[in-house]
Amino acid sequence: MKDMQKYQRIENIERSINVCHNNNALPELSVSVGDYRDVDIEPNSVIYCDIPYYATKEYQNLSNEFDYDAFYDWCEMQTNLVIVSSYWMPDERFICIAEFERLSTFSASNNSMKRIEKLFVPKHQFGLYKTMMSLSKRNNQQLNLFNQDENND
């Protein structure tokens, strides 16, 4: 089951990348699949992390192996903007910047179950996130890294 989950996750990422590249939506997109500590990150990058969701049945095998505290520490050490996809992140360390209702596709019997997936940034990067959103609006770009109320300071 563990290998199947990894395969499905990679397949979804590859499908999204192909759509973006075919439409020239993200011409400079670089994707790495593997241990986040081994990724070579270019300056001025936006780092998107889709980690095993904490305390969920869907990722039970993966989350038992994943060191969440070490990952949180790594996120807080980054100078580039880090965006993390998860159902939950520790409030004392991260701020939710967006929420999306999604259908769960991991259930063998009920693929109509709805979940709220969230995107988070480390608290110390929230100002950077707001600055990037402000600049993209000024330049009339469609960057829009997930609109969120600006009252979250």
Side-chain angles (χ1 to χ4, degrees):
M1 184 65 165
K2 177 176 146 182
D3 290 335
M4 182 61 146
Q5 288 175 338
K6 284 183 181 178
Y7 175 75
Q8 287 174 331
R9 196 171 186 89
I10 292 169
E11 191 175 73
N12 288 339
I13 291 169
E14 288 174 347
R15 202 175 6 243
S16 298
I17 292 166
N18 287 334
V19 168
C20 290
H21 277 298
N22 291 339
N23 294 320
N24 291 322
L26 298 170
E28 296 180 33
L29 178 67
S30 172
V31 176
S32 298
V33 177
D35 192 313
Y36 63 92
R37 295 166 290 202
D38 297 333
V39 176
D40 184 28
I41 301 169
E42 296 289 325
N44 302 314
S45 295
V46 173
I47 305 164
Y48 172 76
C49 300
D50 192 8
I51 62 173
Y53 290 178
Y54 183 79
T56 61
K57 288 181 184 178
E58 293 94 338
Y59 295 105
Q60 186 172 4
N61 291 335
L62 294 174
S63 63
N64 289 340
E65 298 172 9
F66 192 79
D67 186 343
Y68 290 94
D69 288 325
F71 175 74
Y72 302 153
D73 293 342
W74 177 87
C75 288
E76 291 177 325
M77 292 185 333
Q78 300 307 306
T79 55
N80 294 316
L81 181 64
V82 178
I83 299 172
V84 182
S85 176
S86 189
Y87 296 138
W88 175 89
M89 294 288 280
D91 290 340
E92 66 277 4
R93 300 177 85 170
F94 293 86
I95 293 177
C96 179
I97 58 169
E99 296 182 0
F100 304 94
E101 188 174 86
R102 300 272 191 227
L103 292 178
S104 176
T105 58
F106 281 105
S107 174
S109 61
N110 182 10
N111 282 335
S112 63
M113 184 173 75
K114 293 182 181 178
R115 292 282 197 119
I116 303 295
E117 187 169 320
K118 299 177 182 180
L119 298 172
F120 299 86
V121 297
K123 279 193 170 185
H124 78 280
Q125 291 189 346
F126 187 64
L128 174 60
Y129 167 77
K130 290 191 329 184
T131 299
M132 291 178 75
M133 296 305 94
S134 176
L135 290 173
S136 69
K137 288 177 189 174
R138 266 191 253 150
N139 294 329
N140 290 324
Q141 295 176 350
Q142 293 300 316
L143 179 61
N144 188 6
L145 294 176
F146 325 106
N147 285 333
Q148 177 69 12
D149 294 338
E150 303 222 353
N151 336 352
N152 279 345
D153 309 277

